[in-house]
Amino acid sequence: MSTGRQALQSALDENGGAIPFDTFMGIALHHPQDGYYTRNVRTIGSRGDFTTVPQLTPALGEAIGQWLRAQANRCGWKRFNVIECGPGSGSLASAVMKSFGWLGKRKVDLHLVETSEPLRAEQRKFVRGTWHSAIEEALALCEGGALIYHNEFFDAFPCRVFRKENDGWTELHLKAIEGKLQEIFLAPARPLPASTVFARDWNDGQRVEVFEPVREWMRGMTASWQSGAMLVIDYGGTTEEIYHRRPAGTLRAYRGQQRLTGDEVYEMPGRQDITADVNFDDLAMWGREFGWKVGQIKPLGELAAAAPGAEAFRCVSFAKL
Ligand SMILES: C[S@@+](CC[C@H](N)C(=O)[O-])C[C@H]1O[C@@H](n2cnc3c(N)ncnc32)[C@H](O)[C@@H]1O
């Protein structure tokens, strides 16, 4: 099995010396031996590289608990399956389960979808449940009926990055120059992904991010998901909200609570988180594509009023009818 560095080098060699950004991000975050999430992340919160809303307040967990109870009522479920994807430190799942109270908790079967061994170990300190490596595996055990939620999960998927030129779009690639990865924009070698961003007029030079594997994740689960609802919470917004006055796009990394941009994003692959804003217009479009009922895109403040830092977050719900 190769190390992350070897995997990056092989990818560069196989692609004529330049790899698309999403290949880099996939290796840096998810390489089985050396990825940031798979191996190197210790925890999330003040002792980790970045902090998420659930570390700051139990209000988000309480609000999600309320949403889950409302959805269970709507589905007529007295006992039900709850799936959290990408539970991080486990503090959100813990707050959600607490919100059910001692008796209510006994009617909920909690499933956690997590690919990171270090984070699974952390989560086990806070919650009881059944862990899975893929949503399809969790849905199979739930016989297709489940209420699903996640916070800052989609933003950990690799994204493709594009730049508007006067005659179309180029795609961000990385090239090793004197041992350092450097940005270079080339004609996309693959078709442009399905995204709302390409339907708009942009100034030349505008950079945009598309989480193409999120669409594949949604497509992959749709056959196993028979009934229930899914609440998606993430950093981001509509296309308009994300890119208003942001010609350079939203790509960034986090290490030791520092926000890193530009070349710093490529400095320590596997040792820092890399992320971008999630485009909720794309999520809504993809949900409709798969025949799901799509709710309104809302500021997180409408779900959990007391959540600090909630202004930069949006949520949207989907229902499988
Ligand atoms: C940014 S953290 C989210 C933390 C947490 N939800 C919170 O609110 O604090 C991303 C989480 O998703 C997990 N993850 C990333 N990609 C995944 C995938 N494809 N399948 C399952 N888990 C994944 C990571 O290991 C991590 O637990």
Side-chain angles (χ1 to χ4, degrees), residues 70-319:
Q71 297 306 313
N73 277 340
R74 187 184 59 78
C75 296
W77 293 343
K78 298 259 177 287
R79 185 177 180 92
F80 51 98
N81 297 299
V82 169
I83 304 177
E84 179 174 340
C85 303
S89 66
S91 52
L92 183 57
S94 166
V96 167
M97 291 310 282
K98 271 194 192 124
S99 80
F100 285 110
W102 184 77
L103 258 183
K105 240 196 259 192
R106 300 167 63 142
K107 297 180 191 149
V108 177
D109 286 319
L110 178 65
H111 296 263
L112 302 117
V113 178
E114 178 57 82
T115 43
S116 163
E117 272 310 323
L119 289 178
R120 278 188 184 202
E122 188 74 4
Q123 293 150 20
R124 285 201 176 95
K125 296 180 195 162
F126 298 102
V127 280
R128 284 189 190 175
T130 311
W131 273 262
H132 306 272
S133 304
I135 181 91
E136 290 84 358
E137 199 184 298
L139 284 167
L141 206 64
C142 300
E143 294 176 347
L147 302 175
I148 306 160
Y149 71 90
H150 40 92
N151 176 52
E152 294 196 54
F153 171 59
F154 283 161
D155 71 348
F157 282 58
C159 60
R160 292 176 69 182
V161 181
F162 299 91
R163 187 172 73 187
K164 177 72 176 61
E165 313 292 350
N166 65 4
D167 56 351
W169 291 91
T170 51
E171 181 161 8
L172 176 60
H173 287 67
L174 297 169
K175 202 175 167 140
I177 301 174
E178 290 171 6
K180 280 179 84 177
L181 288 173
Q182 299 203 1
E183 294 191 342
I184 167 172
F185 280 86
L186 302 171
R190 296 163 285 172
L192 292 181
S195 169
T196 56
V197 293
F198 300 116
R200 292 173 66 96
D201 281 335
W202 301 98
N203 289 333
D204 287 357
Q206 175 72 47
R207 287 168 64 145
V208 295
E209 298 90 10
V210 181
F211 283 90
E212 191 176 36
V214 168
R215 177 166 172 253
E216 294 321 305
W217 185 89
M218 291 166 73
R219 181 206 297 284
M221 70 181 271
T222 198
S224 338
W225 190 27
Q226 302 301 320
S227 56
M230 176 162 77
L231 179 65
V232 176
I233 302 167
D234 226 308
Y235 203 96
T238 61
T239 304
E240 172 67 30
E241 287 169 334
I242 296 175
Y243 296 111
H244 180 64
R245 297 197 184 148
R246 277 177 168 164
T250 69
L251 203 61
R252 59 201 180 267
Y254 290 93
R255 189 173 70 238
Q257 304 285 332
Q258 298 290 311
R259 187 181 200 275
L260 310 169
T261 52
D263 287 345
E264 296 168 327
V265 171
Y266 313 113
E267 264 173 8
M268 297 183 72
R271 297 290 186 279
Q272 58 194 30
D273 186 28
I274 304 172
T275 189
D277 278 25
V278 171
N279 188 325
F280 278 70
D281 283 338
D282 281 356
L283 300 185
M285 179 173 88
W286 298 334
R288 276 184 218 106
E289 182 186 339
F290 302 129
W292 304 352
K293 186 171 173 222
V294 181
Q296 246 190 309
I297 300 167
K298 292 182 186 163
L300 181 56
E302 287 188 23
L303 182 79
E311 315 77 49
F313 283 76
R314 297 291 175 271
C315 57
V316 68
S317 62
F318 299 97

